[in-house]
Amino acid sequence: MEEKKTEMANKNAKKANLLDHHSIKHILDESVSEIVISRGYVEDVRTSNIRLFLGAIIIAIALLAQFYNKKFPQNREFLIGCIVLYPF
């Protein structure tokens, strides 16, 4: 029985550089995700999708502000509107 455990542990073993915090976090996230999914829970990615959508909107507002046809003194109100829209 102990041999089966070591075989299974070697099969599921993941390696990470202990000096790289991002690598360790990634391995931990993957492991937790596998455990949760194996217990029958469904992964919910709605929050991530909403964050991506909001990021795309923010990028669109920034691109509008950057490439607006008028130069700075004439587009002052437009830039203020973009700045006000950014946090929302």
Side-chain angles (χ1 to χ4, degrees):
M1 182 159 163
E2 195 171 310
E3 292 174 7
K4 288 182 182 180
K5 286 182 181 180
T6 56
E7 286 178 20
M8 197 158 197
N10 289 337
K11 182 180 175 185
N12 293 334
K14 297 178 183 179
K15 295 183 180 181
N17 183 0
L18 296 178
L19 299 176
D20 183 14
H21 301 295
H22 299 290
S23 174
I24 294 171
K25 183 187 179 308
H26 182 69
I27 295 293
L28 287 172
D29 288 344
E30 276 186 12
S31 300
V32 169
S33 179
E34 287 176 7
I35 291 170
V36 170
I37 290 173
S38 70
R39 293 193 178 178
Y41 292 99
V42 179
E43 188 174 6
D44 185 16
V45 292
R46 273 186 286 172
T47 306
S48 297
N49 291 340
I50 290 170
R51 289 174 62 190
L52 286 171
F53 180 69
L54 290 176
I57 291 172
I58 290 170
I59 290 171
I61 291 171
L63 287 173
L64 277 173
Q66 181 70 30
F67 297 113
Y68 193 65
N69 289 334
K70 297 180 180 179
K71 296 292 180 190
F72 172 66
Q74 291 102 12
N75 70 347
R76 184 171 179 223
E77 291 81 17
F78 179 75
L79 287 176
I80 290 172
C82 288
I83 292 169
V84 169
L85 280 177
Y86 183 78
F88 300 108

